[in-house]
Amino acid sequence: GGPIETFIKCDSSKRVADGLRVEGDRLVSDKTGRIAKCTHYFVDTQDSLAIRLTYSRAVLADWRRMEMDVRSALARYKID
């Protein structure tokens, strides 16, 4: 209902295979030569910050956790 605060853009799966796969807690190469990427943009409206993350599409399912981890790190080091 409000403004967009998170936007994620990934390489098309029709054009680029993931290139990596998750096995347990590790990323393993598919040895395809390319790794599909995602660029994750989000804003911290309270502190007027725009943040950009880039990561493998293979870990896209964890986007919320990554965003929350960055927000937590920013909050820990905020100077009032």
Side-chain angles (χ1 to χ4, degrees):
I4 295 173
E5 293 185 2
T6 299
F7 178 80
I8 302 172
K9 177 180 151 184
C10 298
D11 292 332
S12 170
S13 58
K14 292 179 182 178
R15 294 178 184 237
V16 181
D18 281 346
L20 297 173
R21 65 183 179 283
V22 178
E23 289 186 3
D25 62 349
R26 299 184 65 209
L27 285 174
V28 178
S29 174
D30 286 342
K31 299 185 179 169
T32 58
R34 284 191 66 190
I35 297 172
K37 295 184 290 186
C38 292
T39 304
H40 178 157
Y41 304 90
F42 61 98
V43 294
D44 178 344
T45 54
Q46 182 178 1
D47 293 318
S48 299
L49 295 173
I51 296 105
R52 180 181 68 187
L53 304 175
T54 303
Y55 45 81
S56 165
R57 190 177 62 211
V59 297
L60 177 61
D62 290 329
W63 73 268
R64 281 187 181 90
R65 183 190 55 77
M66 289 184 272
E67 184 173 316
M68 293 307 298
D69 287 350
V70 170
R71 289 182 187 276
S72 294
L74 290 171
R76 276 194 308 271
Y77 296 103
K78 182 177 177 181
I79 298 173
D80 292 322

